[in-house]
Amino acid sequence: MPELPEVETMVRGIRGSVEGRRISEFRKCPCHCKPITMTPGIKAIRSRVLNQKIVTVRRLAKRVILDLENENSFVIEPRMTGLMLLSDPPSTGHLRLEWVLKKGRSQNSLWFWDRRGLGTVRLYRKSELLNDLGPLKLGPDALAVSLKELKRRCAETSRAVKVALLDQKMIAGIGNLYASEILHLSQIHPERKANELTAEEIQAIHHAMNRILKTAIRYEGSTLGDGTYRNALNQSGSYQNEHRVYGREGKGCPSCKGASIIRTVQAQRSTFFCPCCQANKDGF
DNA sequence: CCCCAGTCCTGCGGGC
DNA sequence: TGCCCGCAGGACTGGG
């Protein structure tokens, strides 16, 4: 499930083979699955992107952005199982889109692969992506938000802090896996109301967010049991071996060694935490 | 404002 | 052994 570290890994993996190249072809792959969401349609996209050079490859929260020289930008949202690949798809059956790229005489391809097909590919004007007033309505990036801004945004919501961290309008880039990891390192109970956290607790979250996400990027993200997440060369990440709580229900807490990790459900998603290390305040 | 359930989608694994 | 069902959850929507 690509979250910030996985999407950052995708961007880093494809950048060198994509930036500065021209799109000589953009097409749907002949797979028999339902087509993924794409706006506008393939014809309109082709008319705006063919023969355009890809100037920049970058990450915007959990999206991959390809900025073209004519001020159009591809916004690729992998959601659960989408991948950006340069070679060797996990299975050819779920290849969705292909960009054929050219630079001088050399030619290579970039693919969007998506087993479940929940991912989306859209073309926007680059000017629409500059801030959170645009169509994406994203909050500040989890790796760029200042402590002051995080405090301000926490104060604005009474939702459980775990649920608030998943809200891309509040902070962009964190998903279900890293939300649990961040709160465990912060030693904060996931049900605590965001607007009741102390300044010290928000500072702990800010610090943990940076540490967890940066470390996960260094490990090239988490590849879970289903093996779906892979980097641009179809290789697994390794941060799953460093997980403190996610997917570790009933196993020992890596911090206190004594207690077992508990799984609960918040906003219809699994939350993992240590009832001992994260048992702070409000009776939790 | 907040919360909840439903929607999209496919593969996997538990239970019978 | 084989089939059915629930689960995985990112983003979004509609109703209370």
Side-chain angles (χ1 to χ4, degrees):
Chain A
M1 55 177 108
E3 303 181 27
L4 187 153
E6 290 76 23
V7 176
E8 181 66 27
T9 303
M10 286 179 200
V11 163
R12 293 182 185 188
I14 67 173
R15 183 175 281 142
S17 306
V18 172
E19 280 185 358
R21 290 171 183 260
R22 221 167 268 286
I23 301 172
S24 66
E25 181 58 288
F26 175 67
R27 60 191 167 210
K28 291 185 184 178
C29 297
C31 90
H32 300 291
C33 348
K34 276 198 155 188
I36 59 162
T37 298
M38 189 159 53
T39 56
I42 185 83
K43 268 189 173 175
I45 292 184
R46 282 167 58 93
S47 74
R48 286 163 62 182
V49 309
L50 287 189
N51 221 26
Q52 291 297 314
K53 188 186 282 184
I54 299 175
V55 179
T56 312
V57 177
R58 62 192 168 104
R59 178 184 63 77
L60 183 64
K62 299 181 201 173
R63 285 124 166 125
V64 175
I65 311 290
L66 311 178
D67 294 311
L68 310 185
E69 60 186 338
N70 66 356
E71 301 299 310
N72 283 307
S73 295
F74 275 103
V75 176
I76 299 137
E77 198 178 336
R79 299 223 185 160
M80 296 302 295
T81 53
L83 298 178
M84 300 301 290
L85 294 167
L86 293 170
S87 64
D88 298 332
S91 71
T92 52
H94 301 94
L95 274 179
R96 309 286 179 154
L97 296 168
E98 179 181 14
W99 290 257
V100 179
L101 308 175
K102 268 190 180 148
K103 187 178 191 179
R105 287 202 187 88
S106 82
Q107 179 176 309
N108 64 312
S109 282
L110 171 69
W111 285 279
F112 182 65
W113 179 93
D114 191 352
R115 174 159 61 75
R116 288 171 64 179
L118 299 176
T120 66
V121 173
R122 302 176 200 276
L123 196 67
Y124 284 102
R125 300 285 171 196
K126 188 180 176 188
S127 56
E128 296 179 278
L129 305 177
L130 288 180
N131 54 44
D132 61 7
L133 298 177
L136 303 185
K137 299 184 184 70
L138 295 169
D141 192 87
L143 276 182
V145 67
S146 68
L147 175 58
K148 191 179 166 188
E149 181 68 9
L150 184 62
K151 283 180 182 166
R152 196 182 68 73
R153 286 175 178 259
C154 283
E156 281 178 343
T157 180
S158 61
R159 287 178 294 173
V161 59
K162 158 80 171 7
V163 177
L165 287 176
L166 292 179
D167 181 352
Q168 303 300 297
K169 291 186 277 302
M170 172 162 155
I171 303 290
I174 298 171
N176 200 47
L177 191 162
Y178 292 101
S180 283
E181 294 296 304
I182 288 165
L183 289 174
H184 181 262
L185 182 58
S186 314
Q187 301 196 304
I188 291 169
H189 194 289
E191 296 277 4
R192 292 281 306 285
K193 288 180 187 292
N195 62 357
E196 290 176 359
L197 296 168
T198 66
E200 290 72 25
E201 286 171 329
I202 297 175
Q203 191 168 3
I205 291 174
H206 189 256
H207 179 261
M209 207 158 69
N210 273 280
R211 190 172 135 194
I212 296 272
L213 296 175
K214 284 178 178 166
T215 308
I217 290 170
R218 222 172 54 234
Y219 283 78
E220 301 209 314
S222 302
T223 299
L224 299 181
D226 65 3
T228 295
Y229 171 69
R230 329 284 286 174
N231 70 12
L233 300 177
N234 191 26
Q235 298 158 331
S236 300
S238 54
Y239 193 70
Q240 65 279 7
N241 304 319
E242 312 299 317
H243 289 174
R244 313 164 65 88
V245 290
Y246 186 84
R248 300 192 63 251
E249 183 181 15
K251 295 185 178 162
C253 169
S255 296
C256 70
K257 313 289 185 197
S260 294
I261 302 304
I262 286 178
R263 187 185 88 97
T264 56
V265 174
Q266 290 179 276
Q268 294 131 264
R269 309 212 179 135
S270 295
T271 296
F272 297 90
F273 69 101
C274 170
C276 171
C277 298
Q278 294 168 267
N280 46 3
K281 301 201 179 74
D282 296 342
F284 284 118

